[in-house]
Amino acid sequence: MNTMFDLKCESSSGEEEETEGGESSLTAQIARCANVSSADLDELEHNRNESSTVKQTVWAVNCFKAWLREKQLTIDFKTVEKSELNPVLREFYGSIRTSKGELYGISSYVGLRAGLNRFINEPPLNRVWNLMQDTEFRAANNVFKGVVKQIRRSGRNITAHYPPISPEDQHLLKHSPALDPGNPKGLLNKVWYDIQLHFGLRGKEGNRHLQPDAFALNRDQNGFKYFTMTLHEDTKNMPEKDKKTRRAMYEEPGNPLCPVASLEKYLSKIPADAKALYLQPKRTYVIADEMWYTPLPMGVNYLSQMLPKICKEAGTRTIYTNHSLRLTAIQRLTESREIMAVCVSVPVEINTQWQQPESTPYSPSSELDSSSARQESPVSSHSWVKQEPEPEAIQWENKNSDAATDAEKDKNLNTSIPSMEGLPSSVMLTITKLQCLLESKQERIEALERQVQDLQEDRRFLRSQIENLTGARLVSVPEASTSVFSQSRSRKRRRKSSSSSYIEDESITDESSSEESSSVRKKRRHKKKGKRGCVPHCD
């Protein structure tokens, strides 16, 4: 296809320029159109995605095709319609399982749908569909969301983080025959271990693509050697500021296991025209040979299992993975602030995280004296509240003052440290570690002081609440007692008055009854006398 363009371009700088000698010369025309073949364009188009993305797409398509074969279904992706593909994807999302018959993890499950979406939209199909957002695939996506919730309920979405190598296993690995620099295999393992530990490389592809010229030997102002990387990892999730950071591996004078000496020895034992850094050792060798390794590079799968093989040979308690070694490198750089010493020109800020010890919860019952709470009359005095002695507060003030003096001493110590110019690298590293330890201890002391202040404030608040409650109780109790006493006295008076009135009534009734009885007796006697007197009178 020939396309003609009729465009007129004017040069901004002119066709002629004056040289320093005053002579005019025509500037050389620079070609702004490179000669790129169709094969080069195809390669650029093919490399638009990361290799891991391409592998994930192939894996997703293979899973879908295997599922179709098991279901005895056939689909032509070039001619299939959305309405036909939707029920198939709906059943696929709900029934797909791993080779062990278990549910996939959420990341793998999401990768299946994303891989199928890339496969349908990329050449040679170019369907321009969106399996995640098109309304025709709503039913399939609803099943997909339901499976994701099922995976979360089953607990398969919990990520298992790889543990860093323990200090005991690090010491065992460092002094094991597996990392012996006196033989080809041990030297290869040690160089790989040192590079991973000091530079924190990631990915088996990154290790496979390393070349001998990837490391440069330098010397500092004191004459000590150190290796730096001349290229950076091509990782898609590494921040740009980390890519600009120069990491280094310093020598350790007097140490037979010096990492710089091991790398120098390894580079001298590989062929000069080697295309890869990690090469296969010779099957038969002699210690005095100049070359210990063949031109054949180590495989990707072998490099991915380097640390597990080393751990099995060394006999560690745990069989670690390569990612555990990377975590160990990050932990080592973070805890000891070694990155401040190895970074030559770029300063790096590190936020060290430390965990505060779990303090016992504050209990208000500790303010009460259980022995004094069993007294007979708790209302009459404040003896049931434990009084805080004054010397204890003075003791806390002394502690705070001692902590302040310690902090001032630490600051004076930090300011009194001389400049590290002219010191060996090992001394500089030791000073950096001590400064890091001092700063972490100081931060911990400050945090503990803040906790003590918070507890003291809680104590004052609780004591004030207790005093308010006891004061209100002391005011209300006497009033209640006087009212009760007055009521009892009035009741006693009423009882006495009622009893006296009852006695008087009884005496009156007794007197009246006695008078009535005496009068009746007198009448009876008079009648008897009358009867006796009238008998002789009648005669």
Side-chain angles (χ1 to χ4, degrees):
M1 181 177 67
N2 296 327
T3 304
M4 300 298 294
F5 296 94
D6 187 10
L7 298 176
K8 295 182 179 180
C9 300
E10 296 181 358
S11 176
S12 59
S13 59
E15 295 181 355
E16 296 183 357
E17 292 182 355
E18 296 292 333
T19 60
E20 294 181 357
E23 298 179 356
S24 62
S25 62
L26 295 176
T27 58
Q29 295 182 356
I30 301 175
R32 302 183 63 181
C33 179
N35 295 326
V36 181
S37 62
S38 60
D40 296 336
L41 296 176
D42 293 340
E43 184 179 0
L44 291 175
E45 184 179 3
H46 180 71
N47 294 333
R48 68 188 180 278
N49 293 327
E50 296 289 339
S51 60
S52 59
T53 305
V54 175
K55 290 181 180 179
Q56 187 187 41
T57 304
V58 174
W59 168 74
V61 173
N62 291 336
C63 288
F64 187 62
K65 289 182 178 180
W67 182 85
L68 291 175
R69 286 193 300 269
E70 187 175 351
K71 293 289 184 178
Q72 296 180 357
L73 299 175
T74 57
I75 291 180
D76 187 5
F77 291 99
K78 294 182 179 179
T79 60
V80 67
E81 297 296 333
K82 292 182 179 180
S83 58
E84 299 175 356
L85 185 60
N86 179 51
V88 177
L89 289 177
R90 184 172 180 270
E91 187 178 359
F92 171 72
Y93 292 154
S95 61
I96 187 64
R97 296 293 185 271
T98 63
S99 59
K100 298 180 180 180
E102 300 176 352
L103 287 171
Y104 281 101
I106 291 182
S107 59
S108 301
Y109 195 62
V110 172
L112 279 173
R113 187 175 65 169
L116 292 177
N117 186 68
R118 284 191 297 269
F119 173 72
I120 291 176
N121 289 279
E122 290 180 354
L125 298 179
N126 298 324
R127 299 303 300 270
V128 195
W129 291 356
N130 192 336
L131 300 182
M132 286 81 77
Q133 296 181 359
D134 289 348
T135 57
E136 292 80 1
F137 301 107
R138 182 176 297 173
N141 289 325
N142 290 336
V143 174
F144 181 87
K145 294 176 182 177
V147 175
V148 169
K149 290 185 177 180
Q150 182 181 0
I151 295 172
R152 288 177 178 171
R153 293 191 193 102
S154 62
R156 294 187 61 85
N157 62 329
I158 301 175
T159 304
H161 296 283
Y162 297 97
I165 304 175
S166 63
E168 295 80 7
D169 289 339
Q170 289 185 40
H171 183 270
L172 183 61
L173 287 172
K174 189 175 181 180
H175 297 85
S176 65
L179 300 182
D180 183 13
N183 59 80
K185 185 178 179 181
L187 181 61
L188 173 65
N189 293 339
K190 187 178 185 306
V191 168
W192 177 87
Y193 183 86
D194 291 337
I195 290 176
Q196 293 294 120
L197 188 60
H198 288 81
F199 295 97
L201 301 183
R202 62 185 304 166
K204 53 186 179 182
E205 290 86 0
N207 288 327
R208 172 63 180 82
H209 296 157
L210 285 178
Q211 297 180 0
D213 58 351
F215 300 93
L217 182 62
N218 304 305
R219 288 183 179 272
D220 60 5
Q221 58 185 358
N222 298 318
F224 292 96
K225 299 178 183 180
Y226 65 93
F227 273 102
T228 57
M229 290 189 65
T230 58
L231 56 89
H232 299 285
E233 296 178 279
D234 189 13
T235 54
K236 57 185 178 182
N237 58 348
M238 179 181 290
E240 192 65 27
K241 61 180 182 180
D242 293 342
K243 292 183 179 181
K244 297 179 181 180
T245 302
R246 293 182 61 190
R247 290 167 288 185
M249 181 172 64
Y250 275 85
E251 70 171 336
E252 299 175 4
N255 186 4
L257 301 176
C258 175
V260 174
S262 300
L263 183 55
E264 285 182 328
K265 182 178 180 180
Y266 178 79
L267 293 176
S268 65
K269 296 293 184 180
I270 64 175
D273 56 347
K275 302 299 182 181
L277 177 63
Y278 300 116
L279 303 177
Q280 297 182 10
K282 291 182 178 180
R283 295 184 179 180
T284 58
Y285 69 94
V286 181
I287 300 298
D289 290 345
E290 295 182 359
M291 298 298 168
W292 282 2
Y293 304 92
T294 64
L296 299 176
M298 303 291 295
V300 175
N301 296 329
Y302 187 89
L303 291 174
S304 65
Q305 298 295 322
M306 283 288 286
L307 190 58
K309 293 179 180 179
I310 294 174
C311 290
K312 291 179 181 178
E313 186 177 353
T316 57
R317 299 178 181 177
T318 306
I319 303 301
Y320 299 96
T321 61
N322 293 358
H323 194 71
S324 298
L325 185 56
R326 174 176 169 81
L327 291 178
T328 306
I330 295 174
Q331 185 182 22
R332 177 170 172 263
L333 294 175
T334 303
E335 290 181 353
S336 63
R337 301 279 181 98
E338 185 185 10
I339 195 171
M340 301 298 294
V342 300
C343 293
V344 179
S345 58
V346 181
V348 179
E349 295 181 0
I350 298 179
N351 296 325
T352 56
Q353 299 180 354
W354 56 274
Q355 297 180 353
Q356 298 180 358
E358 297 182 357
S359 58
T360 56
Y362 180 76
S363 177
S365 61
S366 61
E367 295 290 332
L368 302 178
D369 189 1
S370 59
S371 61
S372 60
R374 294 192 297 265
Q375 293 181 359
E376 296 180 357
S377 58
V379 180
S380 61
S381 64
H382 294 277
S383 59
W384 64 284
V385 180
K386 183 177 180 181
Q387 302 294 333
E388 293 292 335
E390 296 297 332
E392 185 175 356
I394 298 173
Q395 185 178 2
W396 280 109
E397 293 178 357
N398 292 334
K399 290 183 179 179
N400 294 330
S401 61
D402 294 339
T405 55
D406 293 338
E408 293 178 358
K409 290 180 181 179
D410 294 337
K411 293 180 180 179
N412 296 331
L413 180 62
N414 292 331
T415 56
S416 63
I417 294 177
S419 61
M420 293 188 292
E421 297 181 357
L423 295 176
S425 60
S426 59
V427 178
M428 294 169 60
L429 180 60
T430 304
I431 293 175
T432 305
K433 291 180 179 179
L434 292 176
Q435 289 179 349
C436 173
L437 181 62
L438 185 62
E439 292 177 2
S440 63
K441 295 295 184 182
Q442 182 62 29
E443 292 176 357
R444 187 169 182 177
I445 291 172
E446 293 176 357
L448 292 175
E449 289 178 354
R450 289 193 295 269
Q451 287 184 356
V452 170
Q453 292 177 359
D454 295 338
L455 292 176
Q456 287 180 349
E457 291 178 359
D458 294 340
R459 172 182 288 176
R460 296 190 190 97
F461 175 75
L462 291 175
R463 283 184 55 80
S464 62
Q465 294 292 328
I466 292 171
E467 290 177 356
N468 294 334
L469 292 174
T470 53
R473 189 173 180 181
L474 290 174
V475 171
S476 60
V477 168
E479 294 178 355
S481 62
T482 53
S483 61
V484 171
F485 183 73
S486 61
Q487 291 178 0
S488 62
R489 292 184 64 182
S490 63
R491 288 178 182 174
K492 289 180 179 179
R493 290 176 181 175
R494 290 176 184 174
R495 289 177 181 175
K496 289 181 180 180
S497 61
S498 60
S499 61
S500 60
S501 62
Y502 179 74
I503 293 169
E504 290 176 356
D505 293 337
E506 287 183 348
S507 62
I508 293 170
T509 54
D510 293 338
E511 290 176 356
S512 60
S513 59
S514 61
E515 290 177 355
E516 290 178 355
S517 59
S518 61
S519 61
V520 171
R521 289 175 182 173
K522 288 180 179 180
K523 288 180 180 180
R524 287 178 180 177
R525 291 176 183 175
H526 183 69
K527 286 180 180 180
K528 289 178 179 181
K529 290 180 180 182
K531 289 179 179 180
R532 292 176 182 175
C534 48
V535 171
H537 179 71
C538 290
D539 291 338

